[in-house]
Amino acid sequence: MNDIKTFTDARLQFRVMIGAMSIQQILSRRAAVLALCFMLPAALSCADAATGKSHHHTRHAAQPANAGAAPVILTAHPGTKLDEDARKLNEDDLQDAAKHHDQPVVLVGSASLSSGKNDEALFVQLQSARLCGSAGCTTSVYLKHNDTWNTVLDSVNGDISVLPTRHKGMHDLLVSPNDRWIWNGKEYQDTLSAPPMPK
């Protein structure tokens, strides 16, 4: 109740001080600006008291299911081995874009998907007005096996993160905020459209 009285007193003092002044006049006066600065904390305290909220005693929420997710950062790396590989893997799309006088930006990223040394994945996104639809640009994920890149996740929309959880020895992937993809032994499978694979 004290907070409400403080807020009401401050509001009354402010009304008396500003009278019928315009906003421009109010803001040009230091006293009016100072009064606003003093009123704001009182107003917030009053609103908190009225709604029962407190900024001092917050409880920590439970960890979300995607805790520990490591985002895959996609950037342009022209002239690198990853960029060269990405361009070879997406050669058809790049040639088609060139026919339409479009020059997509090739973004690449890499992340380890298991404890094996040869399980470094290549994440590739082509960005251009022609290739990216209303849902954004798609990203594909490739895994190298015997010097050959294989597609293990094809054309998904949204940011991708590597999760600490695993299926069949490979890390799960999180696409956007809540679409979990798991390894089925050959490629990544969406858990939203299929039953989860046993660990």
Side-chain angles (χ1 to χ4, degrees):
M1 200 61 146
N2 240 355
D3 288 335
I4 294 171
K5 185 178 183 318
T6 304
F7 174 70
T8 305
D9 291 346
R11 196 171 79 188
L12 182 60
Q13 289 172 353
F14 182 71
R15 278 189 183 165
V16 169
M17 185 180 75
I18 63 168
M21 295 168 39
S22 71
I23 296 293
Q24 197 170 24
Q25 289 171 323
I26 293 169
L27 294 178
S28 68
R29 303 202 183 214
R30 285 186 184 170
V33 173
L34 285 173
L36 280 172
C37 292
F38 287 111
M39 273 184 49
L40 186 59
L44 291 176
S45 294
C46 179
D48 287 345
T51 60
K53 292 182 181 174
S54 172
H55 293 288
H56 302 292
H57 302 291
T58 57
R59 292 183 182 178
H60 294 285
Q63 290 272 340
N66 58 3
V72 176
I73 307 299
L74 300 173
T75 55
H77 293 286
T80 64
K81 179 70 172 137
L82 285 180
D83 181 71
E84 182 184 319
D85 288 344
R87 289 176 186 278
K88 284 179 186 173
L89 291 165
N90 291 275
E91 190 172 10
D92 291 343
D93 288 335
L94 292 171
Q95 285 177 355
D96 185 55
K99 288 178 189 174
H100 294 91
H101 309 290
D102 193 9
Q103 294 182 347
V105 174
V106 178
L107 300 181
V108 296
S110 65
S112 180
L113 296 181
S114 78
S115 56
K117 293 180 182 178
N118 297 326
D119 288 331
E120 193 76 16
L122 174 62
F123 297 75
V124 180
Q125 184 178 94
L126 303 180
Q127 287 190 348
S128 75
R130 188 170 187 286
L131 294 173
C132 299
S134 60
C137 301
T138 62
T139 303
S140 294
V141 183
Y142 305 90
L143 199 58
K144 203 169 201 175
H145 181 70
N146 294 334
D147 293 328
T148 302
W149 287 104
N150 298 303
T151 305
V152 294
L153 182 57
D154 193 23
S155 301
V156 293
N157 291 91
D159 297 328
I160 300 178
S161 296
V162 178
L163 294 169
T165 53
R166 298 174 188 240
H167 285 83
K168 299 194 177 189
M170 299 287 280
H171 285 282
D172 297 346
L173 298 177
L174 185 67
V175 178
S176 294
N178 57 9
D179 188 7
R180 183 181 297 262
W181 291 70
I182 60 174
W183 185 250
N184 68 8
K186 184 179 177 187
E187 62 187 3
Y188 279 91
Q189 182 177 24
D190 192 352
T191 60
L192 293 179
S193 61
M197 297 293 296
K199 287 187 179 185

